[in-house]
Amino acid sequence: MKRIVIFASGSGSNAENIIRYFTTKKTATVVKVLCNNKDAKVFERCKKLHVPCQLFTRDDFFNSENILQQLKKEADSIVLAGFLWKIPTNIITAFPNKIINIHPALLPKYGGKGMYGMHVHNAVKENNETETGITIHFVNENYDEGAIIFQAKTQLNPSDTPEDIAQKIHLLEYEHFPKVIETVMNG
Ligand code: GAR
């Protein structure tokens, strides 16, 4: 059984969806969620699902090897599901092609620092895009630049608000992210 550790910073609806998906699978399981925001809703979701959710600090992550050493012991693969800090080089080096991120746009469009969550959907709306989508990719040292594993598109109507766009994106994420993680881990 391969062990997945998820990083999340906010609501954690993707984390919940991934946890639920793997509860019925024999190949992999989510052993823990790591969170950098004490007020994040993901804590509540994990409690309901009986999965440990652990708060960590900037120091744990960037100025010590605490998280790195823990991951080496506890994780086969790492999944970023709405996680907003950049992954430090020591973790990237220890987990080559084992860290998977989801981005709520069709990279290379709407990627890079500051492009997350509603900021992405607001920008898509401002540019009158007729389609948007999701990108699942490996993580390297630069925001949103690692090798792309999978993309899926959704069409937009001129009347779609940024909130409508967010909803369309979430549906795509829930449908594809767990399956893509599973495929990569079994590959
Ligand atoms: C998701 O849409 C994810 O793609 C996005 O944050 C949202 C988190 O929602 N990630 C990024 O923008 C990363 N740059 P969730 O907390 O409900 O899963």
Side-chain angles (χ1 to χ4, degrees), residues 8-16 42 45 80-84 101-105 112 115-118 120-121 134 143-144 166 169-170 173-174:
S9 299
S11 167
S13 70
N14 275 285
E16 173 166 356
V42 70
R45 295 184 192 270
L80 311 185
F83 181 65
L84 302 182
N101 181 43
I102 191 156
H103 187 78
M115 272 295 172
Y116 60 88
M118 287 309 295
V120 174
H121 309 312
I134 59 168
Y143 270 117
D144 303 327
I169 289 297
H170 265 131
E173 294 182 332
Y174 302 154

Side-chain angles (χ1 to χ4, degrees), residues 64-133:
S64 80
E65 294 214 329
N66 291 352
I67 296 297
L68 172 67
Q69 294 308 337
Q70 191 185 322
L71 289 169
K72 280 185 174 171
K73 277 191 225 123
E74 296 179 355
D76 296 304
S77 284
I78 297 167
V79 170
L80 311 185
F83 181 65
L84 302 182
W85 285 353
K86 202 166 166 184
I87 304 295
T89 309
N90 60 0
I91 296 180
I92 290 171
T93 310
F95 288 88
N97 285 349
K98 299 273 185 228
I99 312 177
I100 304 170
N101 181 43
I102 191 156
H103 187 78
L106 295 168
L107 290 174
K109 281 179 152 187
Y110 303 105
K113 198 167 164 41
M115 272 295 172
Y116 60 88
M118 287 309 295
H119 297 287
V120 174
H121 309 312
N122 287 332
V124 165
K125 175 70 188 171
E126 267 163 35
N127 289 338
N128 299 311
E129 296 283 2
T130 55
E131 62 176 24
T132 185

